[in-house]
Amino acid sequence: MDFTNLLAERTELMKANAIREILKVVAKPGIISLAGGIPSPESFPMDLFHELSRRVMEKYQSAAFQYDLTEGFIPLREQLSLLLAGRKIEAGPEDIHVTSGSQGALDAVGKLLISKGDKIAMESPTYLGAISAFNPYEPRYVSMETDDHGLIPESLEQTLKTHRIKLIYLVPTFQNPTGRTLPMERRIRIAELLKKYDALLVEDDPYSALRYDGEPVPAVKTMAPDHVIYVSTLSKIFAPGLRIGFYAAPEFLSRWLVLVKQGVDLHTSTFNQALAAQYLEGGYLENHLPKIIKLYRPRQQAMLNALETGMPREFTCSPSQGGMFLWVSGPENFDAMTLYEKAVEKGVAFVPGRFFYTDPSQGHETMRLNYTMADEATIETAVEKLGAAAREIIG
Ligand SMILES: Cc1ncc(COP(=O)(O)O)c(C=O)c1O
């Protein structure tokens, strides 16, 4: 039977994620991968899971294995409310809903708000997973300009003036793929624009807790709470396999988002939510987060130093004080795809940056480098090889 005829029209937009294809190539032995986008398994609190499970069994008993509220397990939402208070976001447990990863929240937002042809404003480059989440709802994308400090607010204003935008999607802190962070002045300006144009922002914030240097910058949600769906996750500060994401949205949208989730999975795993509740309630995050930072900070520093000394001087790196990625740009007209092929021959892989742009003509000279998955010495070796490959190309 030919199943192609059965596929829905929208399925055509669900392309295989280009990065997954690259990751298949680099799974070969002997390749150092700076291509991944995942936390190091060394960052998981492995020594805690027995204790957390024991506490869950003792405290919640069969309730940890029962169906639960679509909104999320109440003890977890109480803890998430405290976590968000630490980020200066005012949200009571009733305002916070749990999703299966932040990816689950992005999908629900797409399903709730996007009709075929609706326009989503994205910073350029942007997080590929958001495009995968929104694509099945058949939006059009309007890409907005960025520089080393993230979205340029004038580009947002221009976009809001000239297009009917359904929603804006941004990763303001330690963005994936660039590692860039929007400074305070730009956040204030963006919040003003949201109010002025009565616009809705999806603020995706998986990385702000992974800060290795500098002072925290408040979320845009703190500045325009009625205009922002704030989405976050425990994937980078607990364990991604547990799939615990969450959002705090304006109340009207929250109510609808619950109906959407009901139809998808009824609720996120009760047991996993209970584990997460115990992780936060027992003060384990406070204790464990510094260990994650201690693991990643020297890796980021090693990569920054290696780029400084190992890459030809025509290559620049966006400043970054946290997260999991650095963003490197080659000289004008440089083709990072050619560098990718040469680098793989030398045993190093990364993701060419053009995959993160909705406009295929952009980003050919750029690349995303991940530093969470390799130790410092390996990172130094990898960047040295990358530099050698780059020199072979530019002469
Ligand atoms: C910007 C961004 N948003 C969302 C996600 C998805 O995370 P989760 O594991 O919470 O679904 C990621 C994961 O890499 C990400 O980088």
Side-chain angles (χ1 to χ4, degrees), residues 37 101-103 106 127 169 171 176 204 206-207 233 235-236 240 243:
S102 36
Q103 198 68 22
L106 298 179
Y127 171 54
Y169 171 80
V171 184
N176 180 0
D204 189 3
Y207 299 113
T233 179
S235 286
K236 323 292 174 183
R243 310 305 301 131

Side-chain angles (χ1 to χ4, degrees), residues 37-39 99-106 126-130 169-171 173-177 204-207 231-236 239-241 243-246 324-325 368:
I38 60 177
T99 51
S100 300
S102 36
Q103 198 68 22
L106 298 179
T126 189
Y127 171 54
L128 260 192
Y169 171 80
L170 295 178
V171 184
T173 309
F174 310 139
Q175 196 224 22
N176 180 0
D204 189 3
D205 183 26
Y207 299 113
V231 178
S232 190
T233 179
L234 298 186
S235 286
K236 323 292 174 183
R243 310 305 301 131
I244 304 293
F246 54 96
M324 306 199 333
F325 307 102
R368 185 189 79 175

Side-chain angles (χ1 to χ4, degrees), residues 180-361:
R180 293 167 178 165
T181 292
L182 271 173
M184 187 66 176
E185 321 77 74
R186 287 196 185 183
R187 289 173 193 241
I188 294 171
R189 183 73 193 120
I190 288 167
E192 284 168 0
L193 292 173
L194 294 176
K195 291 177 194 165
K196 178 172 169 190
Y197 291 91
D198 211 11
L200 178 68
L201 168 67
V202 176
E203 178 175 29
D204 189 3
D205 183 26
Y207 299 113
S208 61
L210 299 181
R211 174 173 281 281
Y212 316 133
D213 200 6
E215 291 302 313
V217 202
V220 181
K221 175 75 175 169
T222 63
M223 303 167 193
D226 294 342
H227 294 262
V228 179
I229 302 176
Y230 177 84
V231 178
S232 190
T233 179
L234 298 186
S235 286
K236 323 292 174 183
I237 56 175
F238 188 24
L242 296 172
R243 310 305 301 131
I244 304 293
F246 54 96
Y247 64 83
E251 194 196 339
F252 174 85
L253 295 175
S254 256
R255 272 189 273 130
W256 281 100
L257 285 165
V258 171
L259 294 184
V260 169
K261 184 171 169 67
Q262 236 162 31
V264 175
D265 61 0
L266 295 178
H267 63 80
T268 299
S269 156
T270 316
F271 184 80
N272 292 357
Q273 290 188 73
L275 274 183
Q278 286 306 305
Y279 180 61
L280 299 176
E281 190 187 312
Y284 297 110
L285 171 66
E286 263 164 74
N287 191 32
H288 187 68
L289 183 57
K291 295 184 194 166
I292 303 179
I293 291 174
K294 199 170 162 201
L295 177 71
Y296 291 156
R297 180 190 277 136
R299 292 182 179 186
Q300 193 205 46
Q301 198 54 53
M303 186 173 272
L304 284 167
N305 293 345
L307 288 168
E308 181 79 33
T309 54
M311 291 301 282
R313 60 183 166 71
E314 294 87 343
F315 286 72
T316 56
C317 176
S318 285
S320 178
Q321 298 181 319
M324 306 199 333
F325 307 102
L326 289 174
W327 184 251
V328 173
S329 304
E332 223 180 305
N333 298 326
F334 183 78
D335 182 12
M337 221 37 223
T338 312
L339 178 62
Y340 171 76
E341 279 153 23
K342 254 201 194 315
V344 169
E345 278 170 26
K346 291 187 190 295
V348 180
F350 62 89
V351 184
R354 68 187 178 96
F355 295 117
F356 301 101
Y357 288 80
T358 49
D359 174 352
S361 70

